[in-house]
């Protein structure tokens, strides 16, 4: 999605914006631009394609100036082109804006502004804002911006500069993320904290319909009526180098390898002894409220949705609460029935995914209590939730979510175990066994990472094929769906995750020697059935990669290639099966020479519906 960065101070604004934009690269983009104010004029530079094109352009001709705004664009309205890249400039050439979000009523505003003599140069929704600010500008940039956003419907975070106000940067948001970074004699704006973490660890997190007037000396926050707002400084909790690749070739690889440590962080303070009840901070629910729950609705997008499916399974299995899991983009459409004592659990790494935020608002509006499972602290979803349980993964930069998925699954497991303990709905011996397995999970994860070379060998065998099935049953069905998503998004191999039980109802028609099947067949309730399903694939000459417990000669004897995992109780096995499937996707994409951290068409944080 689009990323914005802005700077006002005494250093080169273009360089600081460019560095910030590089840190937002992971969000996905197709073009970029920077505008600065210098000697009472605006100077704008735009490039299509990779940010390295902007590096080259600035090396060739510098863009001096100490006030500037930058943008990476992910096309929504109008194809990627220089004209459609931000910053967009007003008709009189004095005002420049960068925008993240979608302006829904831009069509009618555009017609109206054209009628008033304003001249449009792009097909974007954003450009209306540049002309609107010009229309309302009478010397006070903040006043003009506030007046302009009152005409807008939709979602936005804007950074605005004006050639006539060389000492001011104005930012405003509604529904799209925005932070203001605080420095000494210099200040910043960005659409996420990571973009400016190298510069400062102190930020204001801006809320809907709040405006920031930023100068070199300070920041004034107001609402749209101009009333001053007090805001606590938020201290970014990770070090400046947390978002560096270190010795790893790709962020995705680094993040896969961070999982043992991240699992320890997720368990810390929550579970230390299998004989003691676990604690889940952030839930913000009393035991009576947990006991009174009648329904739990998980909702999320993509990878986080798959974690929600694990949550649904465990919540019913262990805590005996009727549970559902909906794609956030679909939840509102089906107009779900919210009973008294319904808990909604939105799950989101970024905490900014627009569909998930909309689903949360809808469920709250219907009377559900909303406790979110999140990674990024102080996100939009966190601020609108009744409680927030943090997965403690640290920054995730790779577009393909890996450590966040594992920790979302771990948090789902902790939540279901906690509810089961409080409600007394599961055999204490089973709960003890699962807690003991969770405590060992960081060691299992480390062991799985040591086996990376074996996964590379499997990847080398199959990476040239074009199609794949990922099959599983029961609690590992989401593992199959997630394995398939990981593969398709970074390697572009067409992959589908299915219940193995569904194969005979249609998909088995596709099985042939050119389509490989990854079959998750760890020991447990569905193991025997998985053996039968593997045989059905083999009988139709389909190559099978088995994912099975160490020493399982039955699966080992049937599959064409094997990925071994340490045996754990089936209910926590989605945690062990996830890691090798992440590695398999990574190494297949690597063999194919794909750009793993910046897969085509994808954005890390999807801030539009
Ligand atoms: C896939 C992936 C996406 C996200 C989805 C939700 O690897 O990362 O499917 O899981 O866009 O994002 P969050 O969790 O930030 O709400």
């Amino acid at each position: 999605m689009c990323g914005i960065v802005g700077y006002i101070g005494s250093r080169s604004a273009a360089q600081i914006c460019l560095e910030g934009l590089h840190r937002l690269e992971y969000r996905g983009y197709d073009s970029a631009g920077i505008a600065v104010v210098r000697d009472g004029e605006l100077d704008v530079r735009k490039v299509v394609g990779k940010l390295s094109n902007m590096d080259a352009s600035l090396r060739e001709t510098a863009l001096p100036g100490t006030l500037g705004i930058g943008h990476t664009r992910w096309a929504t309205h109008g194809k990627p082109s220089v004209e459609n890249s931000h910053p967009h400039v007003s008709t009189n050439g004095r005002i420049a804006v960068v925008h993240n979000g979608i302006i829904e009523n831009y069509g009618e505003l555009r017609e109206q502004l054209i009628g008033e003599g304003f001249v449009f140069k792009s097909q974007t929704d954003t450009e209306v804002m540049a002309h609107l600010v010009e229309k309302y500008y009478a010397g006070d940039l903040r006043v003009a911006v506030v007046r302009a956003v009152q005409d807008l419907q939709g979602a936005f975070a804007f950074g605005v500069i004006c050639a006539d106000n060389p000492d001011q940067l104005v930012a405003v948001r509604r529904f799209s993320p925005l932070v203001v970074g605080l420095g000494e004699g210099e200040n910043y704006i960005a659409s996420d904290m990571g973009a400016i973490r190298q510069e400062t660890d102190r930020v204001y997190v801006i809320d809907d319909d709040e405006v920031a007037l930023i100068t070199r000396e300070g920041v004034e926050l107001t609402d749209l009526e101009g009333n001053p707002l007090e805001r606590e400084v938020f201290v970014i909790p990770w070090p400046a180098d947390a978002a560096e690749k270190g010795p790893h070739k790709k962020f995705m690889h680094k993040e896969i390898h961070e999982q043992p440590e991240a699992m320890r962080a997720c368990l810390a303070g929550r579970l230390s002894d299998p004989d003691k009840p676990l604690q889940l901070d952030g839930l913000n629910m009393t035991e009576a409220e947990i006991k009174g729950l009648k329904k739990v609705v998980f909702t999320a997008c993509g990878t986080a949705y798959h974690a929600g499916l694990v949550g649904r399974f465990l919540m019913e299995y262990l805590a005996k609460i009727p549970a559902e899991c909906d794609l956030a983009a679909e939840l509102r459409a089906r107009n779900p029935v919210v009973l008294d004592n319904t808990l909604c659990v939105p799950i989101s790494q970024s905490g900014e995914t627009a569909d998930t935020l909309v689903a949360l608002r809808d469920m709250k509006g219907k009377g559900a209590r909303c406790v979110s499972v999140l990674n990024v602290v102080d996100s939009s979803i966190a601020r609108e939730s009744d409680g927030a349980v943090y997965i403690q993964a640290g920054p995730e930069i790779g577009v393909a979510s890996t450590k966040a998925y594992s920790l979302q699954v771990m948090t789902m497991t902790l939540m279901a175990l906690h509810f089961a303990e409080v409600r007394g709905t599961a055999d204490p011996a089973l709960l003890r066994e699962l807690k003991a397995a969770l405590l060992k999970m960081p060691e299992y994860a480390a062991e799985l990472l040591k086996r990376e070379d074996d996964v590379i060998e499997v990847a080398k065998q199959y990476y040239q094929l074009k199609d794949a099935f990922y099959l599983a049953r029961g609690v590992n069905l989401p593992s199959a769906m997630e394995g398939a998503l990981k593969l398709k998004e970074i390697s572009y191999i067409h992959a589908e995750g299915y219940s193995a039980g569904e194969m005979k109802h249609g998909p088995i028609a596709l099985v042939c020697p050119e389509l490989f099947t990854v079959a998750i067949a760890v020991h447990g309730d569905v193991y025997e059935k998985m053996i039968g399903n593997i045989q059905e694939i083999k009988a139709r000459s389909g190559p099978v990669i088995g994912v099975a417990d160490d020493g399982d000669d039955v699966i080992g004897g049937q599959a064409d290639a094997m990925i071994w995992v340490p045996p754990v109780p089936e209910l926590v096995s989605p945690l062990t099966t996830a890691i090798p499937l992440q590695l398999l996707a990574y190494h297949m994409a690597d063999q194919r020479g794909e750009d793993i951290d910046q897969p085509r068409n994808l954005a890390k944080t999807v801030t539009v519906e």
Side-chain angles (χ1 to χ4, degrees):
M1 290 295 112
C2 303
I4 65 180
V5 184
Y7 173 78
I8 181 162
S10 53
R11 293 183 286 153
S12 161
Q15 278 310 323
I16 289 168
C17 287
L18 181 62
E19 279 160 30
L21 293 178
H22 272 296
R23 291 177 198 286
L24 291 174
E25 268 188 302
Y26 72 94
R27 293 165 72 109
Y29 63 94
D30 44 51
S31 49
I34 295 175
V36 296
V37 172
R38 179 171 40 117
D39 301 334
E41 298 295 330
L42 281 178
D43 202 348
V44 182
R45 188 76 54 82
K46 299 180 183 188
V47 296
V48 174
K50 298 270 173 196
L51 265 180
S52 50
N53 298 341
M54 182 62 90
D55 294 329
S57 167
L58 291 182
R59 264 198 311 274
E60 210 175 291
T61 323
L63 197 58
T66 57
L67 165 63
I69 48 179
H71 188 267
T72 42
R73 174 167 188 258
W74 188 87
T76 56
H77 297 76
K79 64 179 170 44
S81 67
V82 167
E83 300 73 50
N84 288 336
S85 307
H86 304 212
H88 289 288
V89 175
S90 57
T91 304
N92 66 5
R94 307 297 292 164
I95 291 155
V97 304
V98 287
H99 169 219
N100 175 16
I102 290 185
I103 298 168
E104 285 160 7
N105 59 336
Y106 85 100
E108 60 198 75
L109 288 171
R110 186 181 167 108
E111 289 312 307
Q112 196 182 314
L113 287 162
I114 290 173
E116 292 169 17
F118 291 94
V119 181
F120 279 76
K121 298 176 204 77
S122 76
Q123 286 87 50
T124 64
D125 53 335
T126 303
E127 195 181 344
V128 295
M129 180 63 176
H131 302 303
L132 279 175
V133 177
E134 176 184 335
K135 175 173 161 178
Y136 295 121
Y137 182 80
D140 188 328
L141 186 59
R142 172 166 56 183
V143 168
V145 169
V146 166
R147 180 62 195 84
V149 299
Q150 281 161 358
D151 288 353
L152 303 182
Q153 286 160 17
F156 50 78
F158 285 113
V160 185
I161 55 174
C162 173
D164 299 315
N165 300 75
D167 301 318
Q168 294 186 350
L169 165 59
V170 176
V172 60
R173 79 157 248 177
R174 180 182 299 156
F175 203 50
S176 293
L178 178 68
V179 294
V180 174
L182 306 172
E184 297 293 330
E186 53 188 4
N187 292 301
Y188 317 80
I189 60 166
S191 40
D192 83 34
M193 299 179 199
I196 49 174
R197 176 63 191 89
Q198 288 302 108
E199 299 292 337
T200 180
D201 65 351
R202 296 162 59 241
V203 297
Y204 288 141
V205 179
I206 308 302
D207 248 319
D208 283 351
D209 291 329
E210 293 183 353
V211 192
L213 172 64
I214 303 148
T215 61
R216 291 176 178 81
E217 292 74 37
V219 178
E220 271 177 42
L221 296 183
T222 53
D223 62 19
L224 292 184
E225 277 74 52
N227 302 309
L229 297 168
E230 290 295 315
R231 183 63 33 87
E232 267 186 39
V233 173
F234 178 83
V235 179
I236 303 175
W238 67 81
D241 64 358
E244 304 292 335
K245 278 202 281 276
H248 296 269
K249 190 167 148 191
K250 297 284 171 192
F251 278 113
M252 182 180 176
H253 193 257
K254 173 183 182 234
E255 288 158 7
I256 292 172
H257 278 262
E258 284 172 344
Q259 291 181 98
E261 266 319 300
M263 285 177 174
R264 279 187 194 102
C266 181
L267 293 172
R270 295 170 172 170
L271 175 63
S272 55
D273 181 338
D275 292 314
K276 292 199 181 134
L278 63 80
Q279 310 291 326
L280 202 50
D281 50 295
L283 262 185
N284 203 13
M285 290 177 78
T286 63
E287 293 210 341
E289 285 165 341
I290 293 172
K291 283 183 182 146
L293 284 175
K294 293 211 171 67
K295 183 169 159 184
V296 180
V297 181
F298 297 93
T299 187
C301 302
T303 287
Y305 167 71
H306 298 148
L309 290 172
V310 177
R312 177 184 70 176
F313 190 102
L314 296 176
M315 196 55 82
E316 292 206 316
Y317 198 102
L318 295 170
K320 308 284 183 255
I321 309 173
E324 297 166 3
C325 181
D326 275 88
L327 289 166
E330 295 295 331
L331 183 61
R332 193 168 40 160
R334 87 173 166 89
N335 198 10
V337 176
V338 172
L339 308 171
D340 285 350
N341 300 335
T342 293
L343 174 68
C344 174
V345 183
I347 306 161
S348 174
Q349 188 285 127
S350 62
E352 301 292 350
T353 300
D355 286 318
T356 312
L357 188 53
V358 169
L360 157 77
R361 287 177 175 166
D362 194 51
M363 290 300 278
K364 265 187 98 172
K366 288 188 152 96
R369 180 188 198 107
C370 292
V371 174
S372 301
V373 171
L374 303 168
N375 189 32
V376 175
V377 177
D378 221 352
S379 60
S380 301
I381 293 179
R383 273 174 288 127
E384 297 199 24
S385 300
D386 301 303
V389 179
Y390 286 99
I391 62 170
Q392 308 291 2
E396 189 179 70
I397 308 288
V399 169
S401 184
T402 52
K403 63 175 177 172
Y405 173 71
S406 296
L407 296 197
Q408 285 161 349
V409 170
M410 186 171 250
T411 308
M412 294 290 104
T413 315
L414 289 171
M415 194 183 263
L417 284 170
H418 179 52
F419 283 14
E421 275 180 346
V422 171
R423 293 162 63 91
T425 46
D427 176 3
L430 172 64
L431 294 181
R432 192 192 180 286
E433 185 193 11
L434 295 176
K435 287 195 282 183
L438 278 185
L439 282 167
K440 280 188 144 177
M441 207 46 78
E443 285 165 48
Y444 294 135
E447 170 59 28
L448 285 160
L449 292 169
K450 280 191 205 143
R451 303 178 184 187
E452 183 168 4
D453 285 347
D454 303 339
V455 179
I456 294 175
E457 288 313 308
V458 177
K460 281 184 179 161
Q461 255 178 288
Y462 293 103
Y463 77 94
Q464 283 164 321
L465 295 190
K466 290 201 184 72
D467 298 285
F469 276 145
Y470 281 64
L471 302 184
R473 287 168 175 261
V475 73
N476 271 304
L477 173 55
S479 316
M481 295 163 75
E482 173 58 11
L485 176 64
K486 246 7 23 127
L487 185 70
K488 77 177 99 173
E489 67 182 328
I490 56 169
S491 74
Y492 317 134
I493 296 173
H494 168 234
E496 301 295 339
Y498 270 111
S499 160
E502 270 291 290
M503 287 302 282
K504 290 198 258 314
H505 303 286
I508 201 165
L510 292 172
V511 169
C512 65
E514 288 75 43
L515 176 149
F516 66 90
T517 295
V518 178
I520 304 174
V522 293
H523 280 102
D525 286 349
V526 296
Y527 175 72
E528 302 295 337
K529 286 201 169 67
M530 281 304 301
I531 296 178
N533 297 132
I534 291 173
Q535 280 165 351
E536 287 155 12
I537 310 281
K538 294 292 304 164
R540 286 156 184 85
S541 307
V544 172
I545 302 171
V547 179
D549 290 336
D550 288 344
D552 182 340
D553 296 337
V554 177
I555 307 288
Q558 288 180 1
D560 301 277
M562 282 304 300
I563 291 176
W564 298 109
V565 294
V568 296
E570 187 183 19
L571 292 178
V572 295
S573 63
L575 284 164
T576 49
T577 55
I579 293 175
L581 296 188
Q582 294 165 352
L583 287 171
L584 185 66
Y586 177 90
H587 286 293
M588 287 213 173
D590 193 38
Q591 292 295 323
R592 291 164 74 97
E594 303 299 354
D595 189 353
I596 292 175
D597 279 339
Q598 287 172 41
R600 70 184 179 213
N601 304 337
L602 291 180
K604 177 77 178 159
T605 308
V606 184
T607 48
V608 290
E609 283 179 71

